[in-house]
Structures are given as structure tokens and as C-alpha cells.
Amino acid sequence: MKHMLPPFPYYHASLEPHIDARTMALHHDQHHASYVANLNSALEQFPELQERTALWLLLNLSKVPEKIRTAVHNNAGGHVNHSLFWRAMSPGTRDGPAGRLADAIKRDFGGLEQFQARFDDAGGKLFGSGWVWLARAQQDGGRLQVCTTSGHDNPLMQGHYPILVNDVWEHAYYLKHQNRRGDYLKGWWPVVNWEEAARRFERSDRSAEQDPEAESLLEPVIG
Ligand code: MN
């Protein structure tokens, strides 16, 4: 099995003016594509790992030979996180979160605005390249939390189920916002796909290990 770049779920220009088409095209067609290509290349000499999903590889790095462990860590992580990121956004204005997710945001942050401020603050403070997440602890009573990961690490590596994610690598915003990461973070909310976040929240009752769909969602198969 070769890992494949998932098809883009909307047009590159669909998130204008919030995210420009050129950024989206470079981000998906070049950056994400390179993680997929580099992951396949790292696995070339290890056929026994080629049937594993990118998520499995990321969560089982100790079973990956040391020679390719760093390459698999970075590129499987890049593939998983970007696959989640494209789905975290959607064209067209949307209402905020609804249903159980809205209730949980209210319970754990005090309200949507407080959650968004916490998310923007964490994303702005992350040093270097990484990701900012709304995740749900699989222990601690299933509370929602904002967290960040460096490089292409994923909260599942710490047992936290990802609900919503934004990419704060410079390649996600530099063309439009240059060094102003805060502007990018604040300007991102109108394109958030709250339906997808709510769907992920419903699934978070199960751990990724017990949820076969959790992996298939990360690994959309083309054709
Ligand atoms: Mn990225």
C-alpha cells in the first residue's frame, strides 16, 4: 500500500478571502504531497510496514526501525495532521458549534468566545512550527482542552482525541500575513467546519484504537 495524498475537499480558492488560493495550493499540492512522498520513500525498504496506516505508524514509533524512525515520525505526522486540517475547514459561512459539542465548550471554557481566545493565544505562543488543537482528554472525565504540538506531533500520541485543528507552521499563512500569526489565527474562524468538529466530538467517546473509522477518516483512499 502506498500512502496517497487525499483529494482536496473543495477548491483552492474556496476559502478566500480568509485563506488565499495560492497558499492553499502550495500547502496541499506541495507541502502535504511532500510528506506523503517522503513517507513512502522511507518505507520502501520495509515492506512489513507498508500495510500500516500513517496513524498506526505515528502511534507505534517504537516498532519502526531506528534508521527510518525520524523520517516516519515527521512525515506520517505531517500526513495525518494535514488530512485532519483540510477537513477542519469548509467554504461558506457557518454557525458556531451546536449540540453536545457546544455544551461541552460552554462547560469546559465558559463559552465559544473564551474558547476561541484560548485557542488563538496558545497558537500564537507556540514557539516555532506546530499545531494548535481542540482535543478531548481520554482520561480526566473527557474534558475538552486546548493544546499545542510541535513539528507534526498529534494529540493522540498523548491519548487526547483531536476535535479541531489549525496549522501554525509559517507555510500556512506567510504569503498573506507574513509574520503576523495572530492575524491568521483570528481570521481563520469563519472557515471552521463546525459540523466536522461536532462529528469528531461524537466519535471521541471511543478511543482511536477501538474505532476503525478513526483511521479510515485519516486515510481517504483515492479512486
Ligand atoms: Mn502545513
Side-chain angles (χ1 to χ4, degrees):
M1 177 186 82
K2 287 263 190 210
H3 296 276
M4 298 183 88
L5 184 65
F8 211 51
Y10 30 79
Y11 295 110
H12 290 139
S14 298
L15 305 182
E16 296 259 16
H18 311 288
I19 303 182
D20 57 290
R22 188 154 167 256
T23 294
M24 290 304 265
L26 281 167
H27 201 169
H28 178 267
D29 304 352
Q30 304 296 325
H31 288 284
H32 188 172
S34 77
Y35 300 127
V36 175
N38 292 339
L39 177 60
N40 285 326
S41 156
L43 297 174
E44 245 164 39
Q45 307 299 317
F46 299 91
E48 71 278 13
L49 293 176
Q50 289 170 7
E51 297 306 312
R52 299 295 190 173
T53 64
L55 182 60
W56 186 93
L57 292 166
L58 188 62
L59 299 182
N60 293 275
L61 287 168
S62 64
K63 295 175 188 157
V64 172
E66 210 175 336
K67 186 179 162 193
I68 59 166
R69 194 174 296 153
T70 300
V72 168
H73 184 166
N74 292 338
N75 292 295
H79 183 26
V80 167
N81 288 0
H82 285 92
S83 298
L84 286 168
F85 180 54
W86 310 130
R87 290 159 183 259
M89 303 179 290
S90 155
T93 51
R94 293 182 183 251
D95 298 332
R100 287 181 61 215
L101 175 60
D103 296 342
I105 286 175
K106 189 148 200 236
R107 180 193 68 198
D108 295 337
F109 299 105
L112 180 60
E113 281 179 24
Q114 288 93 328
F115 155 64
Q116 289 173 318
R118 188 93 70 86
F119 191 95
D120 288 350
D121 184 59
K125 282 182 177 156
L126 175 69
F127 184 75
S129 298
W131 299 78
V132 56
W133 306 83
L134 173 64
R136 188 175 182 197
Q138 290 178 331
Q139 288 163 1
D140 188 27
R143 295 181 77 79
L144 290 172
Q145 54 188 255
V146 168
C147 62
T148 57
T149 56
S150 287
H152 288 319
D153 281 2
N154 184 292
L156 280 171
M157 297 165 81
Q158 309 296 330
H160 297 160
Y161 193 95
I163 308 292
L164 180 67
V165 59
N166 196 359
D167 185 343
V168 293
W169 283 57
E170 283 188 342
H171 67 220
Y173 61 86
Y174 205 84
L175 288 180
K176 182 175 161 75
H177 297 287
Q178 292 80 52
N179 60 319
R180 300 182 302 275
R181 190 193 282 179
D183 290 353
Y184 162 70
L185 282 159
K186 278 199 181 63
W188 179 73
W189 294 106
V191 299
V192 166
N193 184 348
W194 287 108
E195 287 169 22
E196 170 70 2
R199 200 188 57 72
R200 294 193 62 79
F201 181 75
E202 294 299 328
R203 300 205 72 81
S204 68
D205 287 334
R206 280 171 277 185
S207 79
E209 307 280 349
Q210 298 163 340
D211 179 2
E213 198 198 322
E215 291 212 353
S216 65
L217 282 169
L218 293 168
E219 299 270 351
V221 176
I222 302 172

